[in-house]
Amino acid sequence: MTHIDAAKAALAHLDIEENPNAITAASRDFFWYSPVLKKRLDHLRADFVVRPRSEAEVIEVLKTCYAHDVPVTTRGAGTGNYGQAMPMRGGCVMHLRHMTAVKSCEPGRVVVEPGCLLKDLDAFCKEQAGHELRMVSSTWSTATIGGFIAGGSGGVGSVTWGSLRDLGNIIRLRVVTMEEEPRVLEFTGEELARVSHAYGTNGIITELELPLAPAYDWTGVFVKTKDFAAAMALAEDLANSDGILLKIASVYEAPTAKSYFQRVAPFVEDDDHLVGLMVAPQSMAGLVTLLARRPEVEMIYRSDDHDWPRSPGLVFEYGWNHTTLRALKVDPTITYLQVRYGYPNSKELVEQMRGSFPDGEVIQHLEAIRMEGKVAFAGLSMVKFTTEERLEEIIQIHEDAGALIFNPHRYTLEEGGRQHADNRQLDFKREADPKGLLNPGKMVTWDAPDWDYSRMYAYPEMMEADD
Ligand code: FAD
């Protein structure tokens, strides 16, 4: 009997997936946005999928897999990019879809299990307390709260609340370790950095306590302009307007709206840049006043009062990585970069990058975000992919100019982040996952402590393709 068969047999009384197609589906995330990762990770497949119903079952899965040396890759909904949820060595995918209970909810805070969908959690909190999550991924309708905290960075709401790593945006995480006798730990304060955004490489989150903000029926707005600088200035100025409450402020360089946003396209021309906003209803009067002062911009849509024959849907589902998704559906050669244009030179840096790629090889898409109290831009630039070498050159041009890249064409935490060890996460992995079985291959500093990042890390134990 192999190690895998032994672990599977020991877990047979749990909800185990046997269907090969379902196992393949549960072994994939959105890594394929990157042609670089598509080439390298497409063949990966777990040996089995188990769906625990409770923390006690999570402990049982981890204890059993530890005993049989079986790797465990945890899955929320598998909407992550960067190959975060891809099982590099096969083994077990532990899918948390059954763990959806909201344990308590009051104005200002919620306690929830990790498998709850962001959309369901928001609906519950709104109903129960008139509140909602401060920030969500634009995959709100499909992603889980556990996956967002373990794999995400921020998103819809970050224009007001900053990013997940900012103090105060996570209150408490309950975490199970992968040891002979798994421990259950409660993390607050400084300790939160051990496991948040650690891709499930050093512990499994079984409960989260998060802060909430007042919920609104946000009004979706689209504004067009022929002047890109005016689009950026509008997003930045609105994010800086103390009396106007925003959920999102996105800037889309032409021809994004015309070429990729099917339901917006009839209302714009090729050379129109677009700003997408979600504004609290009581802030609409302030927005309209601000727009009236700027003849160079024109509001073309507001969700509370419009005559578009087909609703464009939720405005945030045009933003963050949904922009790339919409573009990819039209032009499969499109991929993307995650860029940080910091304060105070963010707009100048974006203009410099626009000047560096005048022929449309890189199309700007920006999200206004708050960084240490200042408004800056996260760029999710769309890139027309030709070769890996050219993609590297494009990254280098950004870095040389001082724009920070979080490279979505890498599958390790460090390479997709700031390219150095996070000792808090590494130290906790030593303690909580001594056999290195949790989401293997995703932490370079665990596998190759002296890695110098001069080239892409290739995990030597990655399972091989069949052919
Ligand atoms: P998964 O993809 O299942 O998991 C993500 C990572 O977390 C994996 O490494 C997994 O092993 C780990 N993990 C999952 N659950 C646990 C747990 N309980 N304990 C420990 N580790 C765990 N991201 C953003 O931050 N902001 C955005 O606005 C955004 N927009 C996106 C738009 C599109 C169209 C796409 C495809 C992706 C986007 N993402 C964004 C990435 C991703 O959707 C989010 O980070 C999402 O919240 C991940 O949730 P998930 O449930 O799908 O997690």
Side-chain angles (χ1 to χ4, degrees):
M1 201 188 242
T2 66
H3 291 192
I4 298 286
D5 289 339
K8 238 173 105 175
L11 297 171
H13 57 291
L14 302 187
D15 179 15
I16 290 206
E17 181 60 67
E18 300 281 1
N19 179 306
N21 292 336
I23 293 175
T24 301
S27 303
R28 297 172 72 78
D29 65 10
F30 279 69
F31 71 99
W32 51 266
Y33 271 34
S34 159
V36 178
L37 297 187
K38 170 103 175 114
K39 203 164 107 184
R40 290 165 173 82
L41 308 185
D42 208 28
H43 63 286
L44 298 178
R45 191 172 179 278
D47 293 288
F48 67 95
V49 177
V50 60
R51 295 180 285 238
R53 295 180 184 281
S54 62
E55 182 181 270
E57 290 191 358
V58 169
I59 292 171
E60 195 178 345
V61 171
L62 297 182
K63 187 177 159 85
T64 305
C65 288
Y66 180 92
H68 296 286
D69 292 327
V70 172
V72 175
T73 302
T74 303
R75 182 180 181 85
T79 69
N81 306 105
Y82 296 79
Q84 292 173 350
M86 299 297 290
M88 307 291 266
R89 277 170 51 197
C92 168
V93 160
M94 181 167 67
H95 192 179
L96 299 181
R97 61 181 294 184
H98 294 315
M99 293 182 63
T100 60
V102 183
K103 305 264 187 75
S104 72
C105 176
E106 61 187 74
R109 72 174 72 210
V110 65
V111 178
V112 63
E113 287 187 335
C116 188
L117 297 185
L118 297 168
K119 134 177 129 191
D120 294 342
L121 185 53
D122 262 353
F124 187 97
C125 295
K126 194 170 180 183
E127 164 90 28
Q128 191 85 7
H131 274 211
E132 63 185 21
L133 291 164
R134 286 181 174 177
M135 69 192 76
V136 293
S137 159
S138 67
T139 45
W140 173 80
S141 65
T142 49
T144 66
I145 186 66
F148 185 45
I149 300 299
S153 51
V156 189
S158 290
V159 64
T160 298
W161 292 102
S163 63
L164 282 172
R165 67 166 58 227
D166 289 326
L167 293 181
N169 281 335
I170 304 171
I171 300 172
R172 179 178 60 87
L173 298 174
R174 190 173 162 92
V175 177
V176 178
T177 64
M178 185 153 190
E179 299 170 272
E180 189 174 355
E181 289 300 334
R183 287 173 291 153
V184 181
L185 306 170
E186 298 269 353
F187 287 165
T188 56
E190 300 289 359
E191 294 170 332
L192 291 168
R194 291 178 171 185
V195 287
S196 56
H197 202 80
Y199 295 5
T201 53
N202 57 11
I204 306 309
I205 302 166
T206 51
E207 188 179 281
L208 309 93
E209 184 170 347
L210 298 163
L212 300 173
Y216 295 105
D217 290 326
W218 299 91
T219 306
V221 172
F222 284 123
V223 175
K224 70 176 180 181
T225 175
K226 302 283 182 201
D227 178 354
F228 186 75
M232 276 200 294
L234 177 63
E236 187 183 74
D237 294 347
L238 278 169
N240 276 318
S241 290
D242 296 334
I244 296 178
L245 187 54
L246 294 181
K247 188 84 174 175
I248 191 169
S250 322
V251 178
Y252 309 104
E253 187 182 14
T256 305
K258 188 69 178 175
S259 300
Y260 307 135
F261 294 174
Q262 211 186 1
R263 293 196 187 177
V264 182
F267 306 95
V268 292
E269 294 171 332
D270 279 340
D271 59 350
D272 277 320
H273 310 287
L274 193 75
V275 178
L277 302 166
M278 286 176 79
V279 183
Q282 70 274 23
S283 294
M284 279 304 286
L287 172 70
V288 169
T289 308
L290 189 141
L291 294 179
R293 291 178 185 165
R294 301 185 181 202
E296 65 280 14
V297 304
E298 182 191 347
M299 179 156 66
I300 55 169
Y301 171 81
R302 54 185 287 176
S303 58
D304 60 347
D305 181 14
H306 70 94
D307 57 5
W308 286 21
R310 295 175 79 198
S311 157
L314 293 164
V315 166
F316 74 69
E317 289 184 347
Y318 290 77
W320 290 91
N321 231 348
H322 271 78
T323 315
T324 319
L325 181 60
R326 287 178 191 270
L328 263 169
K329 284 183 180 165
V330 177
D331 177 356
T333 70
I334 294 266
T335 186
Y336 78 115
L337 288 179
Q338 290 214 214
V339 193
R340 186 61 53 86
Y341 301 102
Y343 178 88
N345 300 322
S346 49
K347 288 189 301 211
E348 290 75 10
L349 209 45
V350 174
E351 288 293 13
Q352 192 183 334
M353 287 305 97
R354 281 187 84 211
S356 301
F357 307 100
D359 57 354
E361 186 182 18
V362 177
I363 305 170
Q364 295 296 327
H365 156 214
L366 308 169
E367 297 289 342
I369 52 166
R370 197 162 292 273
M371 270 174 74
E372 290 161 1
K374 305 284 194 298
V375 174
F377 284 114
L380 290 90
S381 314
M382 289 170 279
V383 177
K384 292 192 177 158
F385 180 78
T386 46
T387 62
E388 289 192 18
E389 291 70 29
R390 178 59 185 155
L391 189 59
E392 288 305 309
E393 276 171 22
I394 293 171
I395 290 173
Q396 197 59 53
I397 291 168
H398 282 78
E399 288 180 339
D400 289 347
L404 192 63
I405 296 278
F406 299 97
N407 191 347
H409 306 284
R410 299 290 184 267
Y411 53 77
T412 65
L413 268 162
E414 295 90 339
E415 292 168 295
R418 289 168 193 258
Q419 306 222 336
H420 58 70
D422 182 331
N423 285 326
R424 296 163 303 186
Q425 296 187 343
L426 179 61
D427 289 347
F428 184 56
K429 188 169 173 74
R430 290 197 181 105
E431 195 187 304
D433 178 27
K435 287 188 176 177
L437 292 170
L438 286 178
N439 207 355
K442 305 290 173 61
M443 200 188 266
V444 186
T445 41
W446 172 267
D447 293 315
D450 299 324
W451 188 253
D452 69 358
Y453 303 100
S454 58
R455 62 186 195 285
M456 183 175 181
Y457 178 68
Y459 180 49
E461 291 181 61
M462 190 191 305
M463 73 193 294
E464 286 175 13
D466 281 345
D467 50 359

